[in-house]
Amino acid sequence: MNLPLYIAYKLLRSQKILSKNTKPAIKIGIVAISLSMIIMMLSIFILSGFKETIKNQVIGFNSHLKIEKYSLSNDKNIFLYKDSVLSQIKKVEGINKVFPYVKKTSILKYNNLTHPVLVNGFDKDYNSEFFSSHLIKGNLPDLGSVKENNQILISKIMSDKLKINVGDDLISYFFDKKTRLRKFKVCGIYETTMIEFDEYYCIIDIRILQRLNNWNQNQVGGLEIFLKDNYSTLELTEKINEEISFDLLASNLYDNFPQIFSWLELQNINVRIIIILMVIIGLVNIVTIMFVILATKKKFYQITKSIGFSNQVLRKVFQYHTTFILTYGLLIGNTVALLASIIQKKFKVIKLDPTVYFMEYVPIKINFTDVAILNLSVIILSLFVLYLPTIYIGKVSKVKQ
């Protein structure tokens, strides 16, 4: 039988944590530990959700990887869409989907209103799931038809600026050596919270842009590659570059949008600062609780010393006692943080301004590995700090006769 553990448990039962008779300092300490834990867990959950939401939106518009001809020109890159090249790419494990694209800058005009855009030409294999989930009116363009069609998918921002709706016809101006016009019918309108992309991103049939460039069906601007998961992007970029010919270049979303991901990395620093501050506050409160217990239980330690308990046994009793209280605070903090996170994740109670945060509500991603690491780290640091006040026990004298 572990005697120090048994005594600590009995002390805890007699104290009745958070009862009316509990010392205010202990109550405040437990609340402070719980609040520190809640803030740390919510900070991690929100940052994880924030990063995942932004990353998924960037991937939805631009894929994990792109392969283009290595050239300084963006609009006239010619990629030879040969089966041999495609087979080399598919040799790399971890690839989910590959499809070609052609992009051209253009100006859309409806009545007397105009708006500059980047027209994206895709075939039937493009990332339709993403745009389908953000479609608010109409339908996606039919890119699998036998003949090319004049359907165009635009964003709500374009629709509002041009004052155009589904079913209306607009004119698209393409500027090369000479200006060429094409007529399109709006088939659908999408809306995301990534306003920077919604401002210019629209979709048409790839064959229209190939014809405008005087390309055949094998010539495209590049390939978009979607991976099976988001965690192997950097590794697969290197592998694909090793497989493809020297005049082609594979780039990933981190290369293409460094400003977005640099900004996300800055948020990591903010969360680290918050966690460090909360850990310090939590440890200070643990030490406070320990000294309060020592002060209130001084008579107990004097009596136990008088009947033969050693300093080592009493230190263990004290450490177990404080650990029980710490665990109580951690349990409250974990429970409240998880409940709040689940409620926000399901009901989206707290809203955000999408023009500032790229999302309409506070995102939550609950990762139980992070929860376990955080709790374990707090417990280990606390056990280390617990040793310091136990030195006081050695100075407690026995009950005088």
Side-chain angles (χ1 to χ4, degrees):
M1 179 180 174
N2 190 330
L3 183 61
L5 181 62
Y6 176 76
I7 295 173
Y9 176 72
K10 286 294 184 180
L11 284 172
L12 187 73
R13 289 290 299 273
S14 65
Q15 228 172 3
K16 295 182 181 179
I17 301 296
L18 296 184
S19 69
K20 292 181 180 179
N21 299 323
T22 306
K23 295 292 182 181
I26 294 179
K27 288 183 181 180
I28 294 169
I30 292 172
V31 171
I33 292 169
S34 301
L35 285 175
S36 298
M37 202 66 197
I38 290 167
I39 293 170
M40 287 189 288
M41 288 179 65
L42 289 178
S43 298
I44 292 172
F45 293 163
I46 292 171
L47 178 65
S48 299
F50 190 72
K51 290 173 69 174
E52 184 179 66
T53 302
I54 296 291
K55 190 173 184 178
N56 287 339
Q57 297 240 28
V58 173
I59 291 170
F61 278 108
N62 295 276
S63 73
H64 294 91
L65 301 172
K66 291 181 184 291
I67 298 179
E68 296 176 313
K69 191 134 178 122
Y70 191 77
S71 171
L72 296 176
S73 172
N74 290 324
D75 197 43
K76 283 295 181 180
N77 285 349
I78 297 177
F79 180 91
L80 298 180
Y81 190 58
K82 292 183 178 179
D83 292 339
S84 59
V85 178
L86 186 60
S87 64
Q88 288 176 358
I89 296 170
K90 287 189 174 179
K91 285 179 182 177
V92 180
E93 293 184 2
I95 292 177
N96 182 39
K97 182 189 290 188
V98 181
F99 56 87
Y101 66 84
V102 178
K103 300 177 186 287
K104 284 184 79 69
T105 55
S106 176
I107 293 179
L108 302 183
K109 182 179 180 182
Y110 181 70
N111 293 333
N112 294 321
L113 301 173
T114 60
H115 183 69
V117 297
L118 177 65
V119 180
N120 296 264
F122 296 127
D123 65 10
K124 61 182 176 61
D125 294 323
Y126 81 111
N127 184 29
S128 59
E129 296 87 356
F130 174 76
F131 291 98
S132 178
S133 65
H134 292 283
L135 194 67
I136 59 173
K137 284 184 182 179
N139 302 292
L140 297 180
D142 182 11
L143 305 182
S145 59
V146 177
K147 294 182 179 180
E148 67 181 58
N149 62 65
N150 68 337
Q151 294 177 337
I152 184 170
L153 176 70
I154 65 173
S155 69
K156 186 177 183 298
I157 291 177
M158 298 176 199
S159 172
D160 292 341
K161 288 187 175 182
L162 295 174
K163 300 188 185 317
I164 193 171
N165 213 328
V166 173
D168 293 334
D169 294 328
L170 56 76
I171 301 297
S172 180
Y173 291 85
F174 295 95
F175 304 96
D176 291 316
K177 292 180 180 178
K178 61 179 182 179
T179 303
R180 287 177 287 181
L181 285 66
R182 289 294 182 272
K183 187 177 181 180
F184 293 100
K185 183 181 288 292
V186 178
C187 66
I189 298 172
Y190 74 88
E191 182 182 27
T192 74
T193 53
M194 296 292 286
I195 295 173
E196 282 78 1
F197 292 116
D198 284 25
E199 282 274 0
Y200 67 82
Y201 199 101
C202 57
I203 297 174
I204 65 170
D205 193 321
I206 190 173
R207 292 168 290 189
I208 296 174
L209 296 183
Q210 287 174 321
R211 186 158 48 80
L212 284 170
N213 286 346
N214 296 317
W215 292 354
N216 61 43
Q217 291 187 355
N218 270 340
Q219 293 175 307
V220 296
L223 294 177
E224 291 200 357
I225 301 175
F226 281 81
L227 307 178
K228 292 180 179 177
D229 63 69
N230 294 338
Y231 307 104
S232 55
T233 304
L234 297 176
E235 179 186 351
L236 291 183
T237 303
E238 294 182 8
K239 287 185 178 179
I240 289 173
N241 274 319
E242 291 173 0
E243 293 290 338
I244 59 180
S245 58
F246 70 93
D247 60 334
L248 301 176
L249 178 67
S251 59
N252 56 52
L253 66 160
Y254 305 107
D255 301 323
N256 298 325
F257 302 97
Q259 69 282 3
I260 293 177
F261 291 98
S262 297
W263 175 63
L264 289 177
E265 284 303 314
L266 288 175
Q267 309 312 308
N268 282 340
I269 297 173
N270 295 337
V271 170
R272 290 190 192 107
I273 292 172
I274 290 172
I275 289 175
I276 290 170
L277 290 175
M278 291 301 103
V279 166
I280 292 172
I281 292 170
L283 293 178
V284 168
N285 279 282
I286 290 167
V287 172
T288 303
I289 292 172
M290 292 161 68
F291 279 114
V292 169
I293 292 172
L294 283 171
T296 56
K297 296 294 180 182
K298 183 178 180 181
K299 196 74 175 176
F300 165 78
Y301 290 115
Q302 287 179 328
I303 294 171
T304 49
K305 270 194 174 184
S306 299
I307 61 176
F309 279 72
S310 66
N311 286 333
Q312 184 178 1
V313 171
L314 292 177
R315 284 194 182 102
K316 286 184 178 180
V317 170
F318 173 76
Q319 287 172 336
Y320 284 135
H321 188 189
T322 313
T323 302
F324 282 140
I325 296 174
L326 169 66
T327 304
Y328 196 85
L330 291 179
L331 185 61
I332 294 173
N334 277 266
T335 304
V336 173
L338 287 171
L339 283 175
S341 300
I342 292 169
I343 290 169
Q344 174 62 22
K345 190 177 180 70
K346 186 171 182 179
F347 299 105
K348 302 174 178 53
V349 178
I350 304 174
K351 306 293 183 182
L352 295 175
D353 181 358
T355 60
V356 178
Y357 297 101
F358 305 113
M359 54 199 72
E360 296 177 340
Y361 55 87
V362 173
I364 296 290
K365 182 183 179 183
I366 300 174
N367 189 328
F368 288 102
T369 302
D370 291 339
V371 174
I373 291 173
L374 180 62
N375 278 273
L376 189 61
S377 301
V378 170
I379 291 171
I380 291 172
L381 284 171
S382 301
L383 290 176
F384 177 75
V385 172
L386 278 173
Y387 177 75
L388 300 177
T390 57
I391 298 171
Y392 173 81
I393 292 176
K395 298 179 180 180
V396 176
S397 59
K398 299 177 182 180
V399 176
K400 294 181 180 179
Q401 300 293 332

